[in-house]
Amino acid sequence: MQTPNDSRPPDGPLSGPSADPVSQPFTAPVSRRSALCLLAGVTAVGAAAGGHPVYAAGPGRETGTRAGTRPAGGQSPYGSGGSRAEELLARLTLAEKITLLHGAPDPDPRGQAGHVPGVPRLGIPPLRLADGPAGVRVTAHATALPAPVLLAAAFDPDLARRYGQVIGREGRALGQDVLLSPMVNLIRTPYAGRNFETFAEDPLLAADLVAAEIEGIQGEGLIATVKHFAVNNQEKDRETLDVRVGERTLHEVYLRGFEAAVAARAGAVMAAYNKVGGTHATEHRGLLTGVLRERWGFDGLVMSDWSATHGTARPLAAGLDLEMPDGTHFGDALLRAVTDGTVPAAHVDRAVRRVLTVMDRFGLLGPDPAPRPARDAAAGAAVAREVAEAGATLLRNERGTLPLAPGRRVAVIGPTGSRPLVSGGGSAHVVPDRAARPLDAIGERAGQVTYALGEDVFGKPLPAGALRPRLALDSRRVPAGRTWHYDGTLTVPGTDEWTFVLHCSAPPTERPEVRVGDLDLFPLAPGYTEYFAGGLVTSAPDGLAVRRRTLRLTAGRHRLRITARGGPAGQSFRLRAITGATRAADVAEAVRAARAADDVVLFAYEDATEGQDRASLALPGGQDRLIAAVTRANPRTTVVLNTSSAVAMPWLAGTGAVLQMYYPGQEGAAATAAVLYGECDPGGRLTQTFPAADDRHPTAGDPLRYPGVAGTVEYSEGVHTGHRWYDAQGVRPLFPFGHGLSYTSFSYADPVARPADGALDVAFTVRNTGRRTGVTVPQVYVGPSPDLGLDQPVRVLAGYRRLTLRAGERRRVTVRVTARTLSCWDVRRHRWVPGTGRRTVWVGASAGDLRLRTHAVVATQ
């Protein structure tokens, strides 16, 4: 088997520069959508047309990737649209048409991300567009569902459908028309800041789940927007990055989820910030028209990501219909371009027709629009808890550490043990009805519970005696219109690392200026960085915004200057710090609590957000040292990970158990406690491989793969993504794709694989060999075709089944492996070709635990 870097058949022209002239690089300004992220955080707990023949429609088009999805031309429950749209189009003036092609301020805002004005003269209502990967993101309360990556861990499309139903109903109830979700970009690098917002590293699993969630969302009458089209797999330089990806890799890996979304009749697609082969995604005719509409038959609307449009004529000609969040390019500029003949009026009509047709399909244009439902908070909470329990992934369980026995002494340690980490930062943030503390949920079951902070997040008051003149900085109020100054010294007893933590009520442009020596600790960060700074750590329990700065201070006196302006409303602030001495004291307190307890539950966190990638796999701060110290004190320690993605675990061998809970939503405390105490089986499995170290994963060691060089990133690993890369390279991960433990045990037996109309039916028997009911997720993998002269993966995920079996129960299972999964993309003929011949089939509990093997011969249909 060739490695991904060996010479192999060409992967197509998208790995090279575009045939189009390249637009100038652009840095996005802070958008309204970005500002909303800040407000919610403070409020709440290549190619041109014809340039590459890959995009030409051709024979062999397959619109579905999973059983049960509707074809692209199927009927919607809201009608097919079209006739009413044509009637309205004929009556619209040019100016009115253009108002339907861009966002604008909402005269009645609900805290949503965007608004498209309607045309009252003709009864065309406005569209409100809300973020919503894990619940509807507006200023009103909504169900904060677990992060999509936790949903995906359940390996259950039916659960994804019900997850979508909650969001769909609540979006309609909260006055929204379009949901800016789901996100189906694959997890390509463990550092990507939005890994928690998406599903998986595997294209098959992601395709199944996105289709099911869209069916749930749109079944409630809310328009779903699949995003970000395409190859938007990192936050680093996302506005300007040029992605070079081969044609075969694009179709086999990165487009499969989008194709499934189209087959599920998603109403909208969001074009990404990045370039693809030298051309901005928002003006890439090959993708927006050639693939999306001509090959897949997409009949919805295409919008830009926020401020991702770079011109007027080219994006509209390429297939972009809607500029968000404003009309910089599709407003007055478009009106002038049509008037002077630069843009054909037919292009405007085409885009307006698509917008109106989608609105009509969802019942928004009729004389009697469907009434909006009432929000059902109790039903939403029930689904939120079910998802959190189903996706809870037990990575390690030694010495009978879990489940915990009720009535014992438990020490709860870690900041997210007492302050729930509900969701990640950025556009995924939701204002929940409630979010209980894990500490309280565990306390309901434990005989005695103690709490230790362990890792400080918000800092401790500066000792008044360390300041000259003496001053208390933990609670300062500056009245409106006033300015407050401090100019003194901070005395540091010994050389140490200091993290200064500023809490303030003012907006970023008015926050206090704090200088140590000549260094401004908290300058306004550029662009999105200021607004996308995390979910947990950027908002104090009382709602004040939080910023941090770490520096090494030598022993002695340091000049400290603070200037705070009250502005029009006044402001409150406090300045705190975390030092080596305070860290040591927190760890010592945690160790004492661990020694005095029968069991320890230590909550560790990693606070990811849209707009920035992680720097490494390590847990932030001193958490690794904390975990190592606590596990030495009490080996019956369970580490609960509230993280966005894979993390390094240098302390793993000392733990009793590790439970991955990601960002578990508003019911995370109850779900975590239920799993810890064995009230339900941990039903989750990893949808991403956990690397053993920062230098042992698919994008490690090659800056051109990640984060990019000179504005370009190359997907040179090709089709060997995720778990496929580990197989191809022979690299052992920390935990493999699909891994997850149960409180019982299972056996797999008697595999049989039979051809079925170009597909394979793989049958096997599963038995619960333990003494309690439990969940298992058998996974089917298929090896390469001997008849295709291509560099193929060692094996691909071909199917799976989530099962709940009683103690001793046995079940015969059949998993269908589709013809698409058995096929490869032919870059010469620009279509799918069947992977015929004798194929090896494996059945296992994970990509690293393959228990059964058989063979089957795949023939052409």
Side-chain angles (χ1 to χ4, degrees):
M1 177 63 65
Q2 292 176 313
T3 65
N5 289 324
D6 289 338
S7 58
R8 62 184 189 273
D11 196 10
L14 281 184
S15 56
S18 169
D20 280 354
V22 178
S23 298
Q24 293 297 314
F26 120 107
T27 300
V30 176
S31 68
R32 296 185 184 91
R33 187 182 189 192
S34 303
L36 283 171
C37 295
L38 174 67
L39 294 174
V42 170
T43 304
V45 211
H52 298 310
V54 56
Y55 298 126
R61 171 175 146 189
E62 179 175 327
T63 58
T65 58
R66 58 187 292 272
T69 55
R70 292 187 295 270
Q75 290 298 309
S76 160
Y78 298 93
S80 60
S83 59
R84 188 178 288 115
E86 291 295 340
E87 176 189 348
L88 289 169
L89 183 62
R91 298 171 61 192
L92 287 164
T93 67
L94 176 60
E96 289 171 336
K97 291 174 183 177
I98 288 174
T99 64
L100 296 173
L101 301 185
H102 64 83
D106 188 347
D108 181 23
R110 288 117 196 252
Q112 77 276 8
H115 171 262
V116 178
V119 181
R121 180 179 71 86
L122 297 178
I124 300 173
L127 286 175
R128 290 186 171 89
L129 303 86
D131 287 312
V136 183
R137 188 174 178 279
V138 292
T139 51
H141 289 272
T143 300
L145 291 159
V149 71
L150 179 54
L151 166 70
F155 277 71
D156 188 347
D158 288 336
L159 187 59
R161 189 172 292 105
R162 287 189 284 120
Y163 183 98
Q165 287 170 345
V166 171
I167 298 176
R169 180 185 178 98
E170 292 205 345
R172 291 273 298 145
L174 294 169
Q176 303 303 304
D177 307 295
V178 181
L179 183 77
L180 304 174
S181 186
M183 174 176 168
V184 75
N185 301 110
L186 295 183
I187 297 174
R188 177 177 178 261
T189 172
Y191 306 133
R194 300 182 82 172
N195 281 349
F196 69 95
E197 286 189 57
T198 192
F199 298 112
E201 70 185 21
D202 187 86
L204 170 69
L205 180 61
D208 287 351
L209 296 174
V210 75
E213 186 181 342
I214 286 169
E215 290 168 359
I217 293 166
Q218 297 193 159
E220 299 296 321
L222 191 68
I223 301 168
T225 306
V226 64
K227 63 184 187 182
H228 309 84
F229 193 63
V231 287
N232 178 229
N233 301 103
Q234 65 188 69
E235 294 299 281
K236 172 72 174 170
D237 300 326
R238 66 177 183 173
E239 294 91 353
T240 56
L241 192 70
D242 184 11
V243 177
R244 305 299 173 94
V245 57
E247 176 186 334
R248 180 182 165 214
T249 298
L250 189 67
H251 281 273
E252 287 190 20
V253 180
Y254 294 101
L255 293 185
R256 186 163 186 177
F258 290 100
E259 185 178 5
V262 170
R265 295 214 69 203
V269 169
M270 181 185 289
Y273 284 114
N274 53 278
K275 300 172 187 174
V276 183
T279 300
H280 286 289
T282 50
E283 52 194 46
H284 203 302
R285 190 182 188 282
L287 285 171
L288 301 186
T289 296
V291 169
L292 192 60
R293 297 194 183 278
E294 294 175 359
R295 181 169 291 279
W296 295 345
F298 178 65
D299 57 0
L301 68 91
V302 177
M303 72 180 73
S304 72
D305 205 337
W306 267 226
S307 301
T309 309
H310 303 278
T312 300
R314 285 187 54 169
L316 196 64
L320 188 71
D321 305 312
L322 180 61
E323 178 189 11
M324 295 302 297
D326 53 33
T328 301
H329 301 286
F330 280 19
D332 291 341
L334 178 56
L335 181 62
R336 290 192 298 270
V338 175
T339 302
D340 66 19
T342 306
V343 170
H347 287 184
V348 171
D349 286 353
R350 180 179 63 189
V352 173
R353 180 180 294 110
R354 290 166 177 168
V355 172
L356 292 175
T357 298
V358 171
M359 293 179 71
D360 193 25
R361 175 185 155 199
F362 283 82
L364 300 177
L365 295 182
D368 298 306
R372 294 188 181 271
R375 180 170 171 255
D376 190 339
V383 172
R385 177 163 177 175
E386 181 183 1
V387 171
E389 292 177 353
T393 306
L394 185 59
L395 300 178
R396 174 180 168 87
N397 192 19
E398 300 294 322
R399 302 181 294 275
T401 299
L402 293 181
L404 300 177
R408 288 162 60 88
R409 296 172 300 171
V410 178
V412 175
I413 297 171
T416 53
S418 66
R419 185 164 190 250
L421 181 43
V422 174
S423 64
S427 58
H429 185 83
V430 177
V431 184
D433 293 295
R434 64 179 186 276
R437 302 189 307 168
L439 174 63
D440 297 329
I442 292 170
E444 294 171 359
R445 296 160 171 86
Q448 176 185 335
V449 64
T450 57
Y451 175 73
L453 178 63
E455 172 76 4
D456 195 357
V457 174
F458 298 113
K460 292 177 172 57
L462 294 172
L467 298 173
R468 290 289 185 273
R470 293 174 66 93
L471 181 71
L473 285 175
D474 202 48
S475 180
R476 306 299 305 182
R477 176 71 188 171
V478 183
R482 302 288 295 275
T483 300
W484 181 89
H485 294 283
Y486 176 79
D487 191 343
T489 60
L490 169 68
T491 299
V492 176
T495 300
D496 196 1
E497 182 180 271
W498 280 60
T499 297
F500 290 92
V501 187
L502 176 68
H503 304 217
C504 65
S505 63
T509 54
E510 297 175 15
R511 69 165 165 253
E513 179 184 279
V514 181
R515 289 183 177 272
V516 174
D518 292 328
L519 179 65
D520 184 358
L521 296 187
F522 308 107
L524 190 68
Y528 291 104
T529 307
E530 181 60 57
Y531 295 91
F532 294 152
L536 172 78
V537 300
T538 56
S539 179
D542 61 358
L544 295 188
V546 175
R547 290 295 182 270
R548 293 166 184 76
R549 182 68 176 270
T550 298
L551 59 156
R552 191 164 187 83
L553 296 181
T554 57
R557 294 182 178 180
H558 299 265
R559 187 178 183 186
L560 176 66
R561 290 173 290 169
I562 305 172
T563 301
R565 296 174 177 82
Q571 74 158 298
S572 299
F573 76 92
R574 50 184 173 254
L575 183 64
R576 294 182 170 182
I578 304 166
T579 68
T582 66
R583 290 187 185 96
D586 288 335
V587 171
E589 179 194 19
V591 167
R592 288 192 297 271
R595 285 176 177 155
D598 298 316
D599 302 293
V600 177
V601 181
L602 193 158
F603 288 83
Y605 80 92
E606 176 259 318
D607 195 28
T609 182
E610 177 183 359
Q612 57 184 278
D613 285 347
R614 303 161 64 195
S616 77
L617 294 172
L619 290 167
Q623 292 183 93
D624 286 337
R625 294 189 297 272
L626 169 67
I627 297 171
V630 168
T631 55
R632 284 194 299 268
N634 190 332
R636 288 189 59 82
T637 296
T638 297
V639 176
V640 178
L641 292 170
N642 292 134
T643 60
S644 69
S645 190
V647 295
M649 303 183 196
W651 35 260
L652 180 64
T655 63
V658 179
L659 178 64
Q660 176 62 255
M661 290 299 298
Y662 300 103
Y663 301 150
Q666 69 179 51
E667 304 301 316
T672 301
V675 172
L676 289 173
Y677 280 90
E679 296 162 16
C680 61
D681 203 42
R685 303 295 182 265
L686 291 181
T687 68
Q688 57 190 303
T689 308
F690 275 34
D694 280 295
D695 61 354
R696 303 185 71 189
H697 59 79
T699 58
D702 184 351
L704 196 52
R705 282 191 185 179
Y706 177 84
V709 176
T712 297
V713 64
E714 290 188 358
Y715 285 25
S716 55
E717 70 275 19
V719 297
H720 300 274
T721 57
H723 57 91
R724 304 174 180 186
W725 180 87
Y726 290 87
D727 286 337
Q729 297 295 320
V731 173
R732 185 173 182 175
L734 184 63
F735 294 109
F737 174 87
H739 173 73
L741 304 177
S742 168
Y743 290 147
T744 186
S745 56
F746 297 90
S747 67
Y748 301 166
D750 306 322
V752 176
R754 295 187 178 91
D757 299 325
L760 289 178
D761 283 337
V762 181
F764 51 93
T765 299
V766 183
R767 185 165 72 92
N768 183 338
T769 56
R771 294 181 291 180
R772 57 182 292 162
T773 297
V775 175
T776 187
V777 182
Q779 299 148 44
V780 175
Y781 295 84
V782 174
S785 163
D787 296 343
L788 296 177
L790 298 172
D791 176 24
Q792 300 171 66
V794 174
R795 62 185 63 88
V796 299
L797 178 69
Y800 53 88
R801 182 69 57 82
R802 181 184 176 89
L803 300 172
T804 301
L805 300 180
R806 298 183 303 276
E809 183 179 358
R810 182 193 308 264
R811 188 175 303 173
R812 189 70 176 168
V813 175
T814 300
V815 172
R816 169 62 61 92
V817 179
T818 66
R820 169 59 58 83
T821 298
L822 295 169
S823 300
C824 288
W825 183 263
D826 187 325
V827 299
R828 295 176 179 85
R829 289 179 284 178
H830 311 296
R831 65 178 181 85
W832 294 97
V833 293
T836 55
R838 191 171 187 262
R839 310 287 293 265
T840 303
V841 178
W842 293 268
V843 179
S846 75
D849 182 9
L850 302 174
R851 303 181 183 182
L852 306 175
R853 186 170 69 173
T854 186
H855 297 86
V857 175
V858 177
T860 55
Q861 290 179 266

